[in-house]
Amino acid sequence: MRSGAPDEVLSGAAGWRPVVSSWLGGVLLAGDVPVLSGRVTASVSDQVPERLTFTVPRFDGRDWLPGADPEHPLARFGQELTLSIVVASAVSGVEFETRIGRYLVTEWSHDDADGVINVTAAGLLERAAEDRLASPLAPRAGGTLLSEFRRLLPAGMGVGVDPALTDRACPRSMEWSEDRLGALYEIADAWPARLRVDQWGQVALLPPLPDVPSPVLSLTDGERGTVVGTSRVDTREGTYNRVVARATVTDDPNKPPIQAVADQVDGPMRVDGPYGVSTRFWSSPLITTYGQALASARTMLASSLRPSRITPVTLVPDPRIDLDDAVEVVRDGERTWGWVVAYDLPLTVDDGAMRVDVGVAA
């Protein structure tokens, strides 16, 4: 969970304003872009999870129409936007700033009829998605998962690694094709690790989520609560209760094939129950032992089951909420625990409520 205003401030009357700044190659182009409205969204199901959209006036201290100027703050020639939300207590006037993220401008549009500029930006993994490999790339001699991950990252992007992750050698009898972002996710899946981008724009490799959530935040209705509505979504689509992980290449051709199977063994989605069996196959040359295959299979199984039951929560906007946060949802006395798998956060007070999708393993 991000830092920011405490619950008592967010649940009462509070001031709220977005702060967007624009940077190009380390040079500040604009410190406070005048945002009229907008939203920032993120979803664990997308390869580039984060997306920022907003509108600005054509004229406000300057002309905000990029036109043909490659160094305009809202142009799409490598400009990166940082977003923070500042919440002010209506009682004390104290301000709390929450850094949300850093985004690459991908598109802008302007219509003379409404006189505003519409801007779209994506999370910084968009750079890896666009920067495809010109030719197949094989691991270097002595390369590890971490060293190859760093080598695959586009220039200028850094990575932070959680100390709980243990690095290991990367087999050389393989190569990655042109999909750079896919290769980064393959390394993360084989580790296994979660691939995220933090609020400062740095790529982060994190341990898999635990089997049982320990909520860091309670989303509550009623007096002094912030929840205004919940619903339920439950689907079989994209949900697996068996994951088979395999090694596709080994450095020793005499080794037997490596395969591990992770099954859901309890609950309504157990493989020996009336639900039936829904199988996902995943293979990677980065898998070299049965233990590695089993760890990847178990992590993918948990990731598949987590969004199978979604509790969409509509609430008073809370900029502290981030992907993977463990939360408790309390609605009409009913308690639900899970992880944030998506959010939709308004940028201004006129942009409506916030939506948070909480995924609960079936």
Side-chain angles (χ1 to χ4, degrees), residues 104-141:
L104 176 69
V105 177
T106 58
E107 179 182 335
W108 62 265
S109 63
H110 173 250
D111 187 342
D112 287 334
D114 54 25
V116 299
I117 316 297
N118 301 289
V119 181
T120 300
L124 294 191
L125 286 179
E126 180 68 20
R127 290 193 177 275
E130 295 179 359
D131 186 6
R132 300 177 73 84
L133 298 170
S135 59
L137 182 67
R140 293 175 297 186

Side-chain angles (χ1 to χ4, degrees), residues 274-338:
Y275 184 88
V277 179
S278 178
T279 305
R280 176 189 176 185
F281 292 93
W282 178 81
S283 60
S284 172
L286 296 173
I287 298 296
T288 58
T289 69
Y290 173 80
Q292 294 169 7
L294 184 60
S296 292
R298 286 174 172 169
T299 300
M300 291 180 184
L301 178 64
S303 297
S304 169
L305 295 175
R306 196 170 297 124
S308 67
R309 288 175 54 201
I310 293 292
T311 298
V313 182
T314 302
L315 69 156
V316 174
D318 186 341
R320 301 172 302 172
I321 297 174
D322 200 0
L323 292 181
D324 300 331
D325 282 347
V327 297
E328 174 192 48
V329 180
V330 182
R331 179 68 170 167
D332 296 331
E334 179 184 351
R335 297 178 180 271
T336 303
W337 293 269

Side-chain angles (χ1 to χ4, degrees), residues 145-193:
L145 295 183
L146 179 55
S147 69
E148 294 306 303
F149 189 95
R150 283 178 169 148
R151 187 160 71 109
L152 283 164
L153 276 176
M157 295 188 70
V159 58
V161 183
D162 192 285
L165 296 176
T166 302
D167 197 11
R168 66 172 186 266
C170 191
R172 298 193 64 199
S173 54
M174 62 164 293
E175 62 181 21
W176 291 286
S177 59
E178 69 275 4
D179 187 355
R180 185 186 299 270
L181 184 55
L184 293 172
Y185 272 107
E186 182 180 16
I187 292 175
D189 287 338
W191 208 312

Side-chain angles (χ1 to χ4, degrees), residues 8-9 12-15 88-94 224:
E8 56 268 23
V9 172
S89 169
V91 176
S92 66
V94 175
R224 305 301 295 175

Side-chain angles (χ1 to χ4, degrees), residues 45 233-241 269 275 278 303-310:
S45 63
V233 177
D234 206 341
T235 179
R236 289 179 69 104
E237 183 178 357
T239 302
Y240 308 95
N241 58 4
M269 288 186 61
Y275 184 88
S278 178
S303 297
S304 169
L305 295 175
R306 196 170 297 124
S308 67
R309 288 175 54 201
I310 293 292

